[in-house]
């Protein structure tokens, strides 16, 4: 069996859904487990719907729900000729159920409530797609990830129970042996009490990895709007180059530094079972794409560039000029952890400790307050962090022209530079 994953952009309108159907038709002989996201920007819209409910902005809530209904109905009207098909009643029923939340008592646990509501996006998307595919094919079945992806109770960042999930997927497949294609939702799962959970934003890639791991699939293909994994985000960089093949290890490194093509958790289950991961273009499905697999060759690769913006560089010096030693560091780390900022790089000298952070202003102020009692704290905001894998001087020069370098760290394969515009 092969596992495919289609993200929100690949099902953002009726044309896109037809394109997905066309790709699936090219694999008629294969058994496919296909993971699909919510359509377009639906997950963002669902997040606003949850906020509106908690803020008791009922007018906004109704407006947002009706806007999402209209968005999906428009796609359906382009896909289906007959508006009496049962799928219409089904989708309208789901939106009515969502509207009913207006009268429901909101759970004190926001994350729990979030998962119960945001997951509608995936359910609706996959129902529409299955109804469309079933017009032409009788070998397609809808799979409800809320019956076979079993997780713990960490809502919004649920952790998978791998053994139970394996068993549940096995049972599901045994019940549908006559079907070639199962379409299911990414991103969502369920607890033992049948509450819905989610795996974290952009978690659909991870779902594909989970299913592949649990079924010992032959491969996973993530279909994207880019030709494969590129050596930089085209948003920041001209002349990007596609990476044709890279190792799991290199993919993990790139994801760790912030390359956003693949959800970082996706690689590990695939690496554990040595299941290759293809990243291919849904616009040009016959093109090669990128393959990520176990490899014995060195990844002596084209340099890759990963940018992070809005970085804060914070330097911390003990007021009494005591050396930065273990006690200071554990105190500083404790406060960093409380602040909720995310550390990207750190460096220390005899009397100061410097960190480059992802942190918003609110959290930054809180952190500075916490630290200021015992330390002199200085910071710079609005910085850029660039990571270059497989760097050389030319690549460093390329990214640092017209920049002032505030911090630099090099290991054998990786250079990381914190800088600002001059
Ligand atoms: N729909 C979810 C999100 O936008 C999951 C995903 O697309 O991977 O985060
Ligand atoms: Mg997505």
């Amino acid at each position: 069996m092969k596992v495919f994953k289609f993200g929100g952009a690949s099902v953002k309108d009726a044309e896109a859904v037809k394109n997905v159907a066309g790709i699936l038709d090219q694999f008629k002989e294969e058994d496919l487990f296909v993971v699909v996201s919510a359509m377009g920007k639906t997950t963002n819209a669902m997040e606003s719907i949850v906020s509106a409910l908690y803020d008791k902005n009922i007018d906004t809530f109704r407006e947002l729900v009706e806007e999402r209904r209209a968005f999906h109905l428009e796609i359906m009207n382009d896909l289906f000729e007959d508006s009496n098909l049962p799928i219409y009643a089904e989708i309208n029923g789901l939106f009515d159920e969502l509207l009913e939340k207006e009268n429901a008592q909101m759970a004190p646990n926001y994350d729990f409530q979030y998962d119960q509501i945001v997951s509608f996006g995936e359910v609706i998307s996959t129902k529409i797609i299955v109804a469309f595919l079933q017009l032409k094919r009788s070998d397609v079945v809808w799979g409800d990830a809320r019956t076979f992806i079993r997780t713990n109770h960490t809502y919004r960042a649920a952790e998978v129970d791998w053994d139970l999930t394996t068993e549940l997927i096995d049972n599901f497949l045994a019940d549908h042996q006559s079907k070639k294609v199962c379409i299911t939702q990414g991103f969502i799962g369920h607890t033992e009490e049948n509450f819905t959970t989610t795996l974290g934003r952009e978690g659909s890639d991870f779902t594909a990895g989970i299913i592949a791991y649990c079924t010992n699939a032959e491969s996973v293909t993530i279909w994207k709007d880019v030709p494969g994994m590129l050596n930089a985000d085209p948003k920041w960089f001209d002349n990007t180059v596609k990476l044709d093949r890279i190792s799991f290890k290199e993919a993990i490194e790139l994801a760790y530094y912030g390359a956003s093509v693949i959800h970082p958790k996706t690689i590990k289950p695939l690496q554990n079972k040595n299941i290759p991961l293809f990243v291919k273009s849904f616009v040009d499905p016959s093109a090669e794409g990128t393959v990520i697999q176990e490899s014995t060759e060195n990844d002596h690769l084209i340099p890759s560039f990963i940018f992070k913006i809005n970085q804060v560089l914070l330097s911390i010096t003990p007021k009494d000029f005591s050396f930065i030693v273990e006690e200071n560091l554990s105190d500083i780390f404790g406060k960093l952890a409380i602040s909720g900022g995310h550390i990207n790089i750190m460096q220390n000298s005899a009397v100061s400790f410097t960190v480059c952070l992802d942190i918003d202003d609110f959290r930054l102020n809180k952190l500075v307050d916490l630290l200021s009692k015992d330390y002199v704290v200085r910071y710079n905001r609005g910085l850029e962090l660039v990571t270059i894998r497989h760097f050389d001087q030319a690549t460093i020069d390329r990214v640092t022209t017209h920049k002032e370098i505030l911090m630099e760290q090099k290991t054998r394969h990786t250079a990381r530079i914190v800088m600002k515009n001059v």
Side-chain angles (χ1 to χ4, degrees), residues 240-292:
T240 52
V241 181
K242 180 171 72 74
L243 307 172
D244 296 335
R245 60 180 54 237
I246 63 172
S247 66
F248 286 122
K249 183 174 168 296
E250 181 67 16
I252 288 173
E253 294 275 354
L254 292 172
Y256 170 78
Y257 292 121
S260 58
V261 187
I262 299 163
H263 189 281
K265 279 188 179 169
T266 312
I267 312 281
K268 191 166 158 257
L270 302 180
Q271 181 181 30
N272 286 350
K273 292 223 173 155
N274 202 3
I275 299 169
L277 169 62
F278 297 91
V279 181
K280 283 167 72 86
S281 160
F282 62 72
V283 186
D284 186 7
S286 58
E288 277 282 321
T290 299
V291 54
I292 301 164

Side-chain angles (χ1 to χ4, degrees), residues 308-350:
K308 283 180 178 261
I309 56 165
N310 289 329
Q311 299 294 297
V312 175
L313 193 66
L314 191 75
S315 95
I316 304 162
T317 310
K319 279 188 175 159
D320 58 3
F321 276 90
S322 59
F323 290 125
I324 288 282
V325 287
E326 287 72 10
E327 293 93 89
N328 301 114
L329 288 176
S330 86
D331 177 42
I332 293 170
F333 278 123
K335 288 173 174 152
L336 279 164
I338 296 172
S339 79
H342 173 78
I343 302 176
N344 287 316
I345 318 188
M346 46 197 172
Q347 208 160 60
N348 66 303
S349 69

Side-chain angles (χ1 to χ4, degrees), residues 307-419:
F307 287 88
K308 283 180 178 261
I309 56 165
N310 289 329
Q311 299 294 297
V312 175
L313 193 66
L314 191 75
S315 95
I316 304 162
T317 310
K319 279 188 175 159
D320 58 3
F321 276 90
S322 59
F323 290 125
I324 288 282
V325 287
E326 287 72 10
E327 293 93 89
N328 301 114
L329 288 176
S330 86
D331 177 42
I332 293 170
F333 278 123
K335 288 173 174 152
L336 279 164
I338 296 172
S339 79
H342 173 78
I343 302 176
N344 287 316
I345 318 188
M346 46 197 172
Q347 208 160 60
N348 66 303
S349 69
V351 291
S352 77
F353 176 73
T354 307
V355 267
C356 175
L357 296 165
D358 276 310
I359 190 166
D360 59 38
D361 284 353
F362 177 76
R363 294 191 154 105
L364 176 63
N365 289 335
K366 203 171 84 183
L367 176 61
V368 172
D369 269 358
L370 279 173
L371 290 166
S372 293
K373 191 171 144 275
D374 298 317
Y375 306 90
V376 177
V377 182
R378 280 185 311 246
Y379 59 86
N380 253 298
R381 281 181 303 184
L383 307 176
E384 258 175 73
L385 165 63
V386 56
T387 302
I388 314 174
R389 286 283 290 165
H390 312 289
F391 67 98
D392 55 19
Q393 195 52 47
T395 52
I396 292 182
D397 293 344
R398 178 173 173 189
V399 297
T400 55
T401 36
H402 308 302
K403 308 276 179 183
E404 181 190 340
I405 297 177
L406 302 177
M407 181 171 168
E408 197 172 357
Q409 226 172 54
K410 285 182 191 161
T411 54
R412 207 143 70 92
H413 298 296
T414 311
R416 310 192 77 192
I417 302 162
V418 181
M419 57 198 187

Side-chain angles (χ1 to χ4, degrees), residues 37-38 43 122 187 201-204:
S37 299
T43 304
E122 265 62 22
F187 177 55
R201 285 302 307 267
E202 305 297 331
S204 295

